[in-house]
Amino acid sequence: MITCAHYRTALLAEPHAADAQLEQHRASCPECQAYSARLLQFDERLGRALRVDVPAAPARVAVLGASGVDAAGRRARDRPRRWFAMAASVLVVVALAGGLWLTAPHRSLAADVVAHMAGEPQAWTSGPVPVPATELDPVLAAAGMRLNPQSGPVSYAHSCLFRGHEVPHLVVQTEMGPVTVMVLEHEAVNGPKPFDEAGYVGVILPVPGHGSLAVLTRGPHADAAGLERIAARVRGAIHWDGPNG
Amino acid sequence: MNDPLGGNSKRARFQALCQALRPDLLRFAFWLSRDRALAEDVVQEAMLRAWKAQDSLLDEAAAKPWFLTIIRREHARSFERKRLVTVDVDELIAREEPMLAAAQDQDLAELRAALFKLPEEYREPLILQVLMGYSTAEIAAQLELSPAAVLTRLFRARKQLRTLCGEDTRLDP
C-alpha cells in the first residue's frame, strides 16, 4: 500500500508512469487525483516550452549528395577532395538551417503536427475499441472522404483545427499499435517526409491532388519503415468524394 | 550503416537521417547549451563527426541516441575549448530573450526562463524525458547513470522548476 507522499514522489519523477500500484492509489485518493491532473497540465506546458521553434528543413538539402561522383577510377585520387566536399555539404545544410533559425516565420509541418498531438492527449488514451460509424462518418464526410476497412480499425475520430483548416484526426489500430493519422488536404509535400520529433516518429506522405497525410506514433515500438508502410496503406484506403475523388 | 550500394546511397541515407532528426537535435543542443549560436555550432560539428563515424552506427533505429551522445560530447568539448567556468544565467536569459519569448505566451516564456536556471544535471534528464520521450532506462543508458539516480534527478528537476515557476507546491512531497 503506497502513501500519498510515495505517490507524489513517483509522479514528480515520471508523470506518465503506468504502474498498477500508482493507478490503484490514484483511484482511491481524490487529493492525489487532483494533484495528478495539475501535474499533467504542468508537464504539457513544459513540453510546449521545450519545443522551441526551429527552422523548417532547407528545401535543397540535396547539396549533400550533389558533389558525389563515385567513378571507380577517380576514387583514390579524389578521396580528400570528396571528403572535403561532403563535409562542406553537411556544413552548408546546417548553416542554412541555423541561419534561418531566427528568421523563419513558420514551423515545419512535422513540428506543427507534433505540437497538435500535445494539445489532444485524450486521443492517445482512447483505447483500442473502434469508434461507431455515427462518430467516424461525420468526421470523414466533413473532409469529403471515406475510409475502407483495409486502413485498420479507427479508435478515435475528431475534426480538428490545424493551420486554419478543419482536418480529420484519427487513431488507427495497427500491427505497430495505435498510430495517429491526420489528413492534411491543404498541406502539399513533394515526397515522403520522415520525422522524429519530441518522442514522436512519423512520416508525411503526399496524397496526389489532396495534399498530404501525416502518420505518427510514439513509444519503443515506433519504427520509421513500418510507419511508412502503414501510411501508404491508409492512403490507399481513402476514397475521395467529389470530382477529384 | 554498411552500404553495399555505394557512396551515393550511403550519403542519401545519412542525409535523410539528419533531416528527420535535425529539429530535435537543435532543440536538445539549445537546452543543453542555453545558447542558440552555440547550439548551432554544436549540431554542425556533431553532424560532421557523425558523418565521419557513420560506420560505427550499426542500426539506424539507434541513430537518435547515437547523435545525442555525439552532441553531448561535442557540447562538453566546446565548453573545454572556451574554458567557461561560470555562467551568468540572467545574462543568458537576456541574450536568448527573443527565443524564450518566441511563443508570445507569457506562461511559456517564464517556464523557458526557469528551465535556463535549472542545473544541467537536472535539466538534461528532463529534456530527454519530456522532449525526446525517453523512458527512465533509456535516459539512464544515455547519461550513464543508474535508473534510481535518473528518477531522483527528474524528481528534483520538476520540484525546482515548479518552485521557480511559482506553482502551488504545498502538496509536493
Side-chain angles (χ1 to χ4, degrees):
Chain A
M1 187 70 180
I2 62 171
T3 64
C4 291
H6 283 138
Y7 175 83
R8 291 171 197 169
T9 301
L11 208 66
L12 276 172
E14 290 183 304
H16 296 278
D19 178 276
Q21 276 191 312
L22 295 177
E23 294 285 346
Q24 205 177 355
H25 178 82
R26 180 164 44 222
S28 65
C29 176
E31 209 169 39
C32 284
Q33 270 173 35
Y35 183 82
S36 299
R38 283 197 301 273
L39 189 63
L40 287 173
Q41 276 175 7
F42 178 77
D43 241 53
E44 188 270 321
R45 271 170 33 225
L46 178 57
R48 282 194 288 135
L50 286 171
R51 277 192 301 277
V52 287
D53 289 352
V54 292
R60 284 185 50 80
V61 178
V63 288
L64 183 63
S67 61
V69 181
D70 286 329
R74 294 175 55 190
R75 245 177 222 153
R77 194 187 63 204
D78 286 353
R79 191 167 292 133
R81 201 170 68 190
R82 278 173 48 220
W83 158 242
F84 179 77
M86 287 170 203
S89 301
V90 175
L91 271 173
V92 168
V93 171
V94 180
L96 265 174
L100 288 169
W101 184 311
L102 264 185
T103 54
H106 61 277
R107 290 193 302 197
S108 72
L109 182 56
D112 280 346
V113 168
V114 168
H116 182 78
M117 295 300 107
E120 208 160 329
Q122 71 276 20
W124 289 104
T125 52
S126 59
V129 181
V131 291
T134 50
E135 211 173 299
L136 175 60
D137 291 349
V139 171
L140 300 178
M145 59 178 272
R146 284 168 291 140
L147 201 59
N148 78 29
Q150 82 178 56
S151 64
V154 177
S155 58
Y156 178 87
H158 198 256
S159 284
C160 294
L161 193 62
F162 182 82
R163 288 188 166 185
H165 299 279
E166 291 277 339
V167 305
H169 174 169
L170 313 173
V171 173
V172 178
Q173 299 296 322
T174 71
E175 63 276 16
M176 202 184 284
V179 304
T180 289
V181 173
M182 290 182 74
V183 185
L184 308 172
E185 202 177 353
H186 303 89
E187 304 289 346
V189 294
N190 55 12
K193 305 283 179 206
F195 61 89
D196 184 336
E197 281 197 55
Y200 292 91
V201 175
V203 63
I204 300 173
L205 279 191
V207 181
H210 294 280
S212 59
L213 182 76
V215 174
L216 64 160
T217 190
R218 62 181 179 181
H221 53 273
D223 139 50
L227 270 177
E228 200 159 333
R229 278 196 301 275
I230 291 170
R233 190 169 72 212
V234 173
R235 182 175 59 182
I238 298 176
H239 292 278
W240 296 96
D241 296 327
N244 297 326
Chain B
M1 299 224 307
N2 290 332
D3 180 36
L5 299 174
N8 285 338
S9 154
K10 196 173 181 176
R11 213 168 299 139
R13 278 220 305 272
F14 183 78
Q15 186 181 325
L17 205 56
C18 288
Q19 280 276 40
L21 297 177
R22 192 181 54 86
D24 267 1
L25 298 182
L26 277 169
R27 289 185 186 113
F28 179 68
F30 173 71
W31 286 113
L32 207 57
S33 62
R34 298 171 294 179
D35 182 316
R36 191 185 60 256
L38 183 57
E40 287 165 8
D41 290 349
V42 163
V43 171
Q44 182 170 303
E45 277 297 322
M47 284 190 173
L48 285 172
R49 284 182 191 277
W51 168 257
K52 233 190 281 186
Q54 62 179 301
D55 288 339
S56 67
L57 177 64
L58 301 175
D59 175 10
E60 278 187 26
K64 197 167 189 177
W66 182 70
F67 267 106
L68 292 181
T69 301
I70 297 173
I71 284 177
R72 291 181 67 237
R73 288 184 186 150
E74 193 51 42
H75 173 248
R77 270 190 214 105
S78 71
F79 264 66
E80 279 167 22
R81 277 198 297 268
K82 292 184 176 180
R83 297 179 190 282
L84 296 176
V85 182
T86 55
V87 175
D88 183 334
V89 176
D90 289 331
E91 199 181 297
L92 280 178
I93 291 172
R95 200 166 64 204
E96 296 299 342
E97 205 265 334
M99 190 74 186
L100 301 180
Q104 294 176 330
D105 177 336
Q106 186 58 26
D107 200 26
L108 286 193
E110 280 172 13
L111 197 41
R112 286 173 177 174
L115 278 160
F116 262 45
K117 292 177 181 165
L118 212 55
E120 186 174 334
E121 65 186 287
Y122 299 153
R123 197 170 63 246
E124 196 172 3
L126 194 66
I127 299 165
L128 290 171
Q129 186 190 57
V130 180
L131 183 61
M132 302 292 171
Y134 276 25
S135 68
T136 300
E138 288 169 328
I139 299 169
Q142 181 73 52
L143 302 185
E144 297 175 352
L145 294 170
S146 70
V150 170
L151 289 172
T152 302
R153 289 185 187 197
L154 289 167
F155 167 80
R156 289 181 183 159
R158 276 199 184 77
K159 206 166 152 58
Q160 282 196 20
L161 205 52
R162 283 162 57 77
T163 304
L164 285 167
C165 291
E167 291 281 304
D168 180 0
T169 55
R170 281 172 300 174
L171 291 178
D172 282 3

